[in-house]
């Protein structure tokens, strides 16, 4: 049973596509996605290389990959 959270606390939660809601809730609930520090998820923006690297690092650390 994976953690999932309500993402409505983010200013732009209503911009998350319907198909992505479950996945975004999972990512936030598992500490993979934290938002931009200003209360936004920025779901309509492109992810930067640094953000992608951070997400990959958090997923692999969470799942014990690479240890």
């Amino acid at each position: 049973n994976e953690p999932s959270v309500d993402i409505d606390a983010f200013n732009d939660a209503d911009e998350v596509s319907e198909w992505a809601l479950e996945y975004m809730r999972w990512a936030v609930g598992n500490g993979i996605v934290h938002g931009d520090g200003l209360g936004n998820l920025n779901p309509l923006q492109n992810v930067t290389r640094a953000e992608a690297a951070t997400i990959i690092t958090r997923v692999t650390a969470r799942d014990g990959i690479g240890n």
Side-chain angles (χ1 to χ4, degrees), residues 21-46:
L21 277 172
E22 176 185 351
Y23 305 106
M24 186 62 79
R25 289 180 183 128
W26 178 89
V28 171
N30 283 280
I32 307 301
V33 173
H34 298 168
D36 66 1
L38 299 173
N40 302 302
L41 291 168
N42 298 313
L44 303 178
Q45 303 298 317
N46 292 327

Side-chain angles (χ1 to χ4, degrees), residues 12-64:
D12 55 357
D14 61 333
E15 295 177 6
V16 177
S17 297
E18 190 69 31
W19 67 265
L21 277 172
E22 176 185 351
Y23 305 106
M24 186 62 79
R25 289 180 183 128
W26 178 89
V28 171
N30 283 280
I32 307 301
V33 173
H34 298 168
D36 66 1
L38 299 173
N40 302 302
L41 291 168
N42 298 313
L44 303 178
Q45 303 298 317
N46 292 327
V47 67
T48 66
R49 281 184 226 158
E51 290 166 336
T54 299
I55 290 168
I56 292 166
T57 299
R58 289 177 182 160
V59 169
T60 56
R62 176 192 173 277
D63 293 343

